Every structure is written in structure tokens, then in C-alpha cells.
Amino acid sequence: MTLRLFDSATRTVRDFVPLVAGEVGIYLCGATVQAPPHIGHLRSGIAFDVLVRWLRRTGHRVTLVRNVTDIDDKILRKAEEAGEPWWAWAMTNERAFTAAYDALGVLPPSYEPRATGHVPAMVELMELLIARGHAYAADTGDVYFDVRSFPEYGALTNQRVDDMVPAPDEGPEGDDKRDPRDFALWKAAKPDEPATASWDTPYGPGRPGWHLECSAMARRYLGDSFDIHGGGLDLRFPHHENEQAQSRAAGYGFAQYWLHNGWVTQGGAKMSKSLGNGLLVDVVLQQVRPAVLRYAMTAVQYRSMLEWTDDTLREAEATWDRLAGFVERAAEKVGAADDDEVAKADLPDEFVQAMDDDLNVPAALAVVHEHLRSGNSALASGDLTTARTDMVALRAMLDVLGLDPAGRQWRGTGGDARYARALQAVVAGELEARAQARAARDFATSDAIRDRLAAAGVVVEDSPGGARWSLATQTPDQG
């Protein structure tokens, strides 16, 4: 069976045929680093991580580009409110995203370009669009894409131009556009914005528009045409519609397939800070092991909405403990399989069919659980040959999903939740003692507690909301 993916542009499930056999180029819209990540932000990273793992498992060489939007209106506004330089604010939040990706086992991208590092390529694209009659410079110094100049505008989201709402990026006077739906390629510098948030161009100083950034970076790393463009469902319009329009108006083939993941929702509403229901990743990871959060966010097919309830993590934890517990017990009885054996193991046909069916992870997990039941029965009956076969197959399938309990990412986290609960209780007690010492201005004791935790591989970070802790990437005795 050939891998089939739902292409948002055609609204059909299509056979996936890469432009170059055996090679796949993917551009994924990454973080706009205006704030630390909540779990909704991580949905696309995890969804496309599964796609990358599956493509690599089936013999493809994958180039994944996941950008960082490190300059935009929200970053400038929030940095000003916090009294921080905008670039420092962006970098702090970029590091928080990186830590969250790493904690949840998201493989690093091939390239992770920042918007601010690619302004010359953006200016070049903007100049080309003006030369081809698809963009214009306003007297204000803003540069806009002329949507009426491009007959295909609206094709990605199946909309007519006349039915679209005006673009939200008006110039200072609000009347510098030919059409209210024209969108900004370049935003002129404003007197109340930092001088460091501005670059010189033939049209005057300013900074790039969001859509221009991604088109320029995608072409820089993947060429004029590439295979897959991905991102959250909320990015289809206007962001992806505008990206496609400006890139194709410039004469580039751009993305051949468009993939969009569903949201994390609460009560049916998209998770966001504006609704006051965001769950910060670092806060959630104080309550649950990273593997459990990864399982909860992987188990739903990427195009489906993931409804987050009080039971979401509880159910994920119970399932993870069953999977990891079996692998641990089986390894004790039949010997552990090394990572190379797992990577080369044959995958069950039913699992392969499920993954080739638009990454149908729920159906793939049903096959995983069949092997879990078979493996547990084999252990109970003393059939060690079957138990080992099931253990290797189960690990191989979970490795595709980034969830191999004995793999490098999760090795040593244990199938028994008691370990995690004991660690949580011990660290919480130490942090409470440290808080009391700080309140009493006994800084020697406070520092001693922090050093003791650090020696055990526990990193403590003080924040306005209190101390937070995480496990170090390497414990001190690992170098």
C-alpha cells in the first residue's frame, strides 16, 4: 500500500509521490515566540514528528524545515510590557519551545531558521513580486501583495476574493491599500517601535510581514518546489493562503501537498491563552512524565481535534504504564533488544496499512495493543519465544510513534508510575524546605538544597509563580 495523505488544497486523500523518489522536503510552520508554549502549541510538532519518523522508517531521506518567527507585532508588544528587549524576549521563549520539543521526544528539524536571519531573501522576493506586477509600495513605506493581480488567490481555502474579510494589517492611515484584502509583505517602521526591529530596504526601513517570512525561508532551504507544507488548521487562512499566493505569483511551484493538524480543544474551543485555558508545557510536566504527555498527544489521528479533559492524562498514564511495564518484564525474562534490532524489525502488516492510511494512529495503536495482549499471555504461559517476538514488534511500532519505552528518549523512565510519584514527592519536599529557608533569609541552606538537587540531576528555576523543576538532560555522573 502506498502512503496516502489528506491534501488540504484538494480536500482529498492522495497517494503521496515525492518530487524526487526517496527524498521528501517538508516545511512546517513553527513557533511564534511571543510566550512560553502550552500543549496546544506542541500539537503540530508532535503530529509532524510522527510523519517524519514514518517516512524515514519507510526508507525516505527527509529534510524538515521548522521555522521560528522571532519578530512580529505580539512579540514587540509583550516585550515592551515586560520591559525587555524584543530580541531577548523572543530568545527566552524560543528556548522554552526547544526545551518542550526535547522533553516530548520531538526529533530536531534538519534546519530551524529564524525570520530575522533571512531578511535579504525576503527583500529579494518582495522585489520580484513588484517587478512581476503582483505587489506595490505604498507612500507610507508599507509594501502590499495585490490579491486581485493573482487569479488563483483563494484556491487553497476555496474562497472567492469578494467573500474574504479585509486583511488586518492596514497602514498608519488605513487607506494606503488598493484593496482592503491586500496583505502586507513589508511593514514600515513606526516611531513607537524599537529601532532594532527595523531593516533598510529600497522602500524604506521596516520589518517583514509574517507571510513573506515563510515563503522566503521555505525557498531558501527546500528550493522553488517542495513536497509538503504543514501546520495547524488555524493557519490555512490567511497565512498559508497568502504564502501560496505570493510564492506562486513569483513563479515558484511551492508546496505540492498541504497537511493541517487539528487543535487541542477544551470544551470544544481551541486552546489558547486568550481563552484563559492554556496549559503550559513546563507546568504539565510537573504533574506527569513527559512520555505520558507525548502519548496523550500522539494517540489521536493528526487531523482530529484532541479534546483535553481531566481524564486525558489519567488515561494516557494508565496506558503508558501497561506498555512500558510489559517491555520491562519481557526484557527481564528474555533479554533486552538493542535499538538497532528494533529499528530493523519487520512491522506488522496491519500497522503498516494503518500508518499508510493518512497516519491513522488510533488504528495503528490497536495493532500495538494486540501485541501487548499476546505478549502478556506469552509471559504468563512461559512462551518466551513469542514474548520476545511481541516485545520487539511492540517496541518497533512504538518507535515509529516516538514512544518506544526502552528507546533512547524514554529509557529508564520505568513502567511503574510509583517511581515518578516518589520523585515528585521528594522534590516537592525539598523545594518547600528551600522556600522556607529563603523566607527566613537563610540563603546558605537555600543554596545547599538547590546544589543537592542539582547533584541529583534536578534543575530548579525560580519564577514569579514560584520554583519549578525539571530533570537535567544529563545527570552529573554522565558528564
Side-chain angles (χ1 to χ4, degrees), residues 37 279-288 468:
L279 292 171
L280 292 178
V281 174
D282 64 343
V283 174
V284 175
L285 292 180
Q286 303 300 318
Q287 308 160 14
V288 68
R468 295 174 179 170

Side-chain angles (χ1 to χ4, degrees), residues 48-120:
F48 284 89
D49 185 60
V50 172
L51 172 62
V52 168
R53 288 171 182 268
W54 182 237
L55 287 168
R56 287 176 176 165
R57 182 76 186 212
T58 51
H60 296 83
R61 181 176 179 270
V62 180
T63 300
L64 172 66
V65 180
R66 186 184 69 208
N67 76 295
V68 176
T69 299
D70 60 344
I71 177 119
D72 83 336
D73 294 343
K74 293 180 180 178
I75 292 172
L76 295 179
R77 185 178 68 251
K78 292 189 176 184
E80 182 180 14
E81 292 170 354
E84 294 281 345
W86 65 270
W87 41 266
W89 183 262
M91 178 54 72
T92 296
N93 289 310
E94 180 183 337
R95 286 173 175 157
F97 269 88
T98 299
Y101 288 132
D102 291 346
L104 297 185
V106 176
L107 297 173
S110 309
Y111 307 103
E112 194 167 22
R114 298 187 186 99
T116 54
H118 295 77
V119 172

Side-chain angles (χ1 to χ4, degrees), residues 202-225:
Y203 317 104
R207 56 186 170 85
W210 180 28
H211 319 302
L212 184 72
E213 296 173 355
C214 284
S215 283
M217 288 186 285
R219 180 171 180 260
R220 168 65 179 81
Y221 293 94
L222 296 172
D224 292 357
S225 299

Side-chain angles (χ1 to χ4, degrees), residues 394-431:
L394 182 143
R395 282 191 58 193
M397 290 185 284
L398 289 177
D399 180 58
V400 169
L401 305 179
L403 286 163
D404 176 11
R408 188 175 294 106
Q409 178 75 24
W410 311 119
R411 190 177 294 146
T413 58
D416 192 334
R418 292 176 298 175
Y419 294 114
R421 296 191 186 104
L423 176 63
Q424 173 73 36
V426 170
V427 175
E430 289 280 72
L431 291 181

Side-chain angles (χ1 to χ4, degrees), residues 18 61 79 133 377 477:
R61 181 176 179 270
S377 296
D477 62 347

